[in-house]
Amino acid sequence: MELSFGRPDSLAGRIPQEIRCYDFLDHLGIEYWRVDHPPADTMEVCQARAAVLQTRICKNLFLCNRQVTTFYLLVLPAEKAFKTSVVSGQLGVARLHFADAKHMADFLDLHPGSVSILGLMNDRQQHVRLLMDRDLKKQAWFACHPCINTSSLKFKTADLFEKVIPAMGHEPTFLDL
């Protein structure tokens, strides 16, 4: 795996969701580094990608309430455990669970295994509420997939909070996990 600056030289074989991520970041003037790799479908595999990026990675969980009427994207450091009771308690909602692939595709234009905060750029109707662990604000770099789990990106956390999230129109709710 090799660390590269910016978008790939060739977009051949790249899916539209991934290309939109590069277009979005470039439009915002975000400097980012990229590593291409085989599918990263477990947190253990993702940790190897984090070593190449020289930053920590995050879990991105697509959740919903029991009634399947409210949807959430939870972003938390990879080393932290997801405890539904803790998140539900801080939100004041009934038990949360993983949302289905159909809603993920409908709202975020993403597929299981490729969930990313960048998918919120596709949620123009604000169906999904962004939840973030408060500790993420303390790190210098942020890493995520460009809406496909065969590449990973890193960019400044300040750019995430000052440019990326405002451009997506999703105000984060910070949790203590």
Side-chain angles (χ1 to χ4, degrees), residues 4 7 17 21 36 41 45 48 59 80 92 110 120-121 161 163 166:
S4 301
R7 70 173 46 230
Q17 294 92 325
C21 286
D36 296 325
D41 51 7
V45 172
K59 292 179 193 174
K80 289 195 177 188
L110 296 175
L120 291 173
M121 71 180 171
F161 289 111
K163 297 178 183 178

Side-chain angles (χ1 to χ4, degrees), residues 40-41 46 104 110-116 145 147-150:
D41 51 7
C46 289
M104 183 185 300
L110 296 175
H111 303 286
S114 295
V115 178
S116 170
H145 291 305
C147 297
I148 184 74
N149 68 356
T150 55

Side-chain angles (χ1 to χ4, degrees), residues 71-164:
F71 296 85
Y72 306 90
L73 177 63
L74 173 62
V75 183
L76 68 157
E79 68 274 6
K80 289 195 177 188
F82 166 61
K83 296 181 181 173
T84 187
S85 61
V86 173
V87 175
S88 296
Q90 289 186 46
L91 292 175
V93 298
R95 183 179 162 97
L96 298 173
H97 60 87
F98 291 99
D100 61 38
K102 180 182 181 335
H103 285 100
M104 183 185 300
D106 289 349
F107 299 154
L108 301 176
D109 196 19
L110 296 175
H111 303 286
S114 295
V115 178
S116 170
I117 193 169
L118 293 175
L120 291 173
M121 71 180 171
N122 301 314
D123 183 29
R124 291 181 171 77
Q125 301 299 317
Q126 304 288 313
H127 293 290
V128 181
R129 183 173 167 190
L130 175 59
L131 308 175
M132 299 186 80
D133 182 85
R134 191 174 314 279
D135 285 346
L136 295 174
K137 293 193 294 186
K138 299 174 186 173
Q139 60 191 47
W141 297 96
F142 183 81
C144 64
H145 291 305
C147 297
I148 184 74
N149 68 356
T150 55
S151 291
S152 297
L153 308 175
K154 88 168 183 180
F155 47 88
K156 293 179 183 174
T157 302
D159 285 341
L160 174 70
F161 289 111
E162 295 168 14
K163 297 178 183 178
V164 174

Side-chain angles (χ1 to χ4, degrees), residues 64-71 97-100 103 107:
C64 65
N65 63 353
R66 184 175 26 201
Q67 298 82 10
V68 192
T69 56
T70 306
F71 296 85
H97 60 87
F98 291 99
D100 61 38
H103 285 100
F107 299 154

Side-chain angles (χ1 to χ4, degrees), residues 9 14 49 57 76 118 167:
D9 292 332
R14 307 280 178 162
R49 304 328 178 231
I57 59 164
L76 68 157
L118 293 175

